[in-house]
Amino acid sequence: MRNIFILLFLFLIASCSESNSELVTFANNFELIAETDDAQPTLSARIFKLREFGECTNGNCPKEVLLIAVSEFGEYPEQKLYKTPLKEKWEFVEWNHIPVLGEPHYTLKFTLKSKSNNKEAVYSVNADLEDIKYKEK
Amino acid sequence: MKRNISTLNGKITFINDEPQNPSPNLPVSETLAALIEGAVTQANLSININSTTGGDHSTKSFHYYGMAIDVNRINNKKINDPSNMHNVKSFQEIISKQPDVAEYFGPFINIRKKGIKTIQMHHVKIEHLNHLHISSQS
């Protein structure tokens, strides 16, 4: 009887492996490159970077993508996740505006930099719970 | 600007569910304090606040910013006491009309206000049958 319980316990532990491959990739590989300080409960954001697997071949390198997680505050907050296009390189530059309490509409403003085909681009980004907009500087 | 909510001569009490834990009488936002004091005065009921900035809440909860409280008793009776239904309903109705309320969850009304927009959140009622959760917009 004791052995049956041990086997059942081991089976339950083995069954706890996550099967969602996107979540497995996220948990193992995403790098947190920026987050708001949450000094005021308006909008918060976390920016994660993921690099494709593999090595550079003939000048062709694995690409990068940013995932931008935006959340309001509260017991049941509305949350969004935005994804940038794939580029050779992505960088977070700075927060330009984190909303403060009392503003009529909360929008996060920040700057990103990308590199593709040896061309650099700088974007000013506006993100809220409805949309994200990139404007090349 | 934060301050303690007035006891209004005993109409508002701060008794923790766990007597050995600290009192929930802690500073909250001016907006929330005024909202609660005004509603208690208007309703002419007594309430017990069992959580302000302490307790376990969602990661993004307004509790951690002194912008939310939980109420577990009205007129010294539990929120889920059937004989207290009229008082709970009456208090919920008064709070729901306050312009500064952000979240308001309980047995009868479950709403989330964002500016002038009000969102019905009936699905959270089941988690608020024994207490009221009230948060303010600032």
Side-chain angles (χ1 to χ4, degrees), chain B residues 33-49:
Chain B
L35 189 158
I36 299 301
E37 291 159 5
V40 168
T41 304
Q42 190 183 338
N44 197 24
L45 296 165
S46 66
I47 65 167
N48 181 62
I49 295 172

Side-chain angles (χ1 to χ4, degrees), chain A residues 53-71:
Chain A
F53 291 136
E55 298 167 328
C56 295
T57 315
N58 300 326
N60 205 1
C61 293
K63 295 202 167 30
E64 293 180 348
V65 67
L66 295 184
L67 280 195
I68 301 161
V70 178
S71 176

Side-chain angles (χ1 to χ4, degrees), chain A:
Chain A
M1 192 63 171
R2 187 166 171 264
N3 287 342
I4 290 171
F5 277 121
I6 291 170
L7 280 174
L8 183 64
F9 179 69
L10 289 172
F11 171 77
L12 286 172
I13 290 174
S15 307
C16 288
S17 164
E18 177 58 52
S19 59
N20 180 332
S21 62
E22 287 188 356
L23 189 55
V24 173
T25 304
F26 179 86
N28 281 289
N29 303 291
F30 273 84
E31 175 194 356
L32 178 65
I33 59 165
E35 62 182 324
T36 50
D37 61 8
D38 296 354
Q40 289 203 11
T42 53
L43 272 188
S44 76
R46 285 179 176 175
I47 303 180
F48 300 92
K49 179 158 76 175
L50 175 70
R51 190 177 161 87
E52 290 177 328
F53 291 136
E55 298 167 328
C56 295
T57 315
N58 300 326
N60 205 1
C61 293
K63 295 202 167 30
E64 293 180 348
V65 67
L66 295 184
L67 280 195
I68 301 161
V70 178
S71 176
E72 66 174 357
F73 284 77
E75 223 59 35
Y76 306 92
E78 188 182 341
Q79 301 183 320
K80 284 282 167 67
L81 186 63
Y82 301 108
K83 203 172 176 178
T84 64
L86 282 166
K87 301 273 184 185
E88 281 169 21
K89 201 172 175 62
W90 274 109
E91 272 177 47
F92 172 82
V93 180
E94 62 179 344
W95 296 110
N96 302 112
H97 179 69
I98 297 171
V100 294
L101 288 168
E103 287 181 15
H105 185 82
Y106 296 149
T107 303
L108 285 159
K109 297 178 181 179
F110 52 96
T111 305
L112 298 176
K113 197 159 85 176
S114 75
K115 191 180 169 190
S116 246
N117 302 321
N118 288 322
K119 189 190 157 207
E120 282 197 350
V122 178
Y123 300 91
S124 63
V125 186
N126 286 7
D128 59 21
L129 292 169
E130 285 148 26
D131 200 6
I132 190 162
K133 290 189 176 79
Y134 303 88
K135 188 178 173 188
E136 195 167 340
K137 284 185 175 175

Side-chain angles (χ1 to χ4, degrees), chain B residues 17-38:
Chain B
D17 300 328
E18 307 288 339
Q20 71 276 15
N21 286 351
S23 164
N25 189 0
L26 296 166
V28 297
S29 79
E30 169 62 40
T31 307
L32 181 64
L35 189 158
I36 299 301
E37 291 159 5

Side-chain angles (χ1 to χ4, degrees), chain A residues 37-41 44-46 71-79 101-102 106 129-130, chain B residues 56-58 60-63 65 67 103 105 112 114 117 121 123-124 127-128 133 137-138:
Chain A
D37 61 8
D38 296 354
Q40 289 203 11
S44 76
R46 285 179 176 175
S71 176
E72 66 174 357
F73 284 77
E75 223 59 35
Y76 306 92
E78 188 182 341
Q79 301 183 320
L101 288 168
Y106 296 149
L129 292 169
E130 285 148 26
Chain B
D56 288 327
H57 312 284
S58 292
K60 303 279 184 189
S61 176
F62 286 122
H63 277 284
Y65 293 86
M67 288 167 55
E103 300 163 311
F105 309 138
R112 171 77 165 95
K114 296 181 188 182
K117 193 166 79 173
M121 297 186 64
H123 58 287
V124 308
E127 292 171 29
H128 297 88
H133 170 88
Q137 300 211 24
S138 62

Side-chain angles (χ1 to χ4, degrees), chain B residues 15-138:
Chain B
I15 300 165
N16 201 316
D17 300 328
E18 307 288 339
Q20 71 276 15
N21 286 351
S23 164
N25 189 0
L26 296 166
V28 297
S29 79
E30 169 62 40
T31 307
L32 181 64
L35 189 158
I36 299 301
E37 291 159 5
V40 168
T41 304
Q42 190 183 338
N44 197 24
L45 296 165
S46 66
I47 65 167
N48 181 62
I49 295 172
N50 65 324
S51 177
T52 49
T53 55
D56 288 327
H57 312 284
S58 292
T59 317
K60 303 279 184 189
S61 176
F62 286 122
H63 277 284
Y64 305 123
Y65 293 86
M67 288 167 55
I69 61 159
D70 290 338
V71 173
N72 67 342
R73 284 177 174 268
I74 291 183
N75 273 6
N76 211 25
K77 285 183 184 173
K78 288 182 176 177
I79 295 295
N80 56 2
D81 184 331
S83 70
N84 207 17
M85 198 170 76
H86 176 76
N87 288 334
V88 174
K89 203 170 185 177
S90 162
F91 188 68
Q92 278 220 273
E93 278 167 9
I94 287 169
I95 292 268
S96 69
K97 288 175 185 140
Q98 306 298 313
D100 290 323
V101 77
E103 300 163 311
Y104 192 27
F105 309 138
F108 299 103
I109 297 173
N110 289 278
I111 53 172
R112 171 77 165 95
K113 285 188 182 181
K114 296 181 188 182
I116 54 167
K117 193 166 79 173
T118 300
I119 301 156
Q120 296 295 330
M121 297 186 64
H122 305 295
H123 58 287
V124 308
K125 172 181 169 176
I126 192 76
E127 292 171 29
H128 297 88
L129 296 174
N130 64 354
H131 72 282
L132 310 179
H133 170 88
I134 306 163
S135 70
S136 61
Q137 300 211 24
S138 62

